[in-house]
Amino acid sequence: MRLKRILPVLLLILLPSVVFAFTGKVVSVADGDTVTVLTKDKAQVKIRLYGIDCPEKAQDFGTKAKQFTADMVFGKMVDVEPVDQDRYGRTVGLLTVDGMNVNEAILKAGYAWVYNQYCRKAFCSDWQAIQDAVQKARIGLWSHPDPIPPWHTAEARGRARKR
């Protein structure tokens, strides 16, 4: 009897924090790790790919990372599994197209770093192993003698100062 009274209260408390997966069409690719998805309700949702960070547009491989992502998802139906929301209001999530994890595919192609500061899921250690293998094989941005992560660029430091 007590559980019957407590359960509705718990649901009211917990439901607002539950984030539901959704499907939509990718209508824009801002860069290698940010896309916009049009939902069935015609809402545009900006998605920042969870756990990875691609080179900025002005960095080596920034354009290639964006093109790789666009080739994979632009104009296609994708599944979005939200994980969080960032300080810019973007949904941070995992993207799947044709059964393939896009976040992981970008890592395997050598166009992203594992964003260790934010990648906290159990699979992040697997992603780090993928990055290590891709780096050793000198694939993508790892073919550069000294790739600079986006969070170390002057542009990124400038954005941080403005906040």
Side-chain angles (χ1 to χ4, degrees):
M1 186 62 133
R2 187 179 219 171
L3 183 60
K4 286 183 181 180
R5 287 187 212 164
I6 295 172
L7 189 58
V9 174
L10 283 174
L11 285 175
L12 286 173
I13 292 169
L14 295 176
L15 271 180
S17 65
V18 174
V19 182
F20 297 99
F22 61 93
T23 299
K25 183 178 182 176
V26 175
V27 294
S28 173
V29 177
D31 57 30
D33 54 35
T34 307
V35 302
T36 301
V37 174
L38 182 67
T39 69
K40 66 180 178 181
D41 301 325
K42 304 298 182 205
Q44 289 191 20
V45 182
K46 193 171 262 195
I47 309 295
R48 171 68 170 80
L49 299 183
Y50 174 80
I52 65 170
D53 202 7
C54 290
E56 300 295 332
K57 292 175 192 171
Q59 285 185 274
D60 291 334
F61 293 93
T63 301
K64 288 185 179 188
K66 178 181 178 179
Q67 189 61 55
F68 181 84
T69 301
D71 289 346
M72 279 191 74
V73 301
F74 184 73
K76 296 181 183 177
M77 295 300 291
V78 296
D79 295 315
V80 179
E81 182 184 329
V83 175
D84 201 359
Q85 190 171 31
D86 70 10
R87 65 177 147 235
Y88 306 110
R90 297 176 298 188
T91 298
V92 178
L94 298 167
L95 207 63
T96 306
V97 64
D98 299 328
M100 184 183 332
N101 182 310
V102 174
N103 310 46
E104 188 173 301
I106 295 168
L107 275 173
K108 286 179 178 178
Y111 292 122
W113 286 263
V114 175
Y115 207 170
N116 290 315
Q117 181 179 350
Y118 298 105
C119 199
R120 301 287 182 216
K121 298 277 186 189
F123 56 77
C124 292
S125 60
D126 295 336
W127 283 9
Q128 185 61 56
I130 290 169
Q131 177 182 303
D132 293 345
V134 170
Q135 183 177 7
K136 185 176 181 180
R138 303 184 65 76
I139 296 170
L141 64 88
W142 302 107
S143 65
H144 190 279
D146 188 26
I148 300 170
W151 56 89
H152 287 174
T153 66
E155 178 184 334
R157 287 191 302 272
R159 281 196 313 265
R161 270 188 240 114
K162 291 178 185 175
R163 288 184 200 124

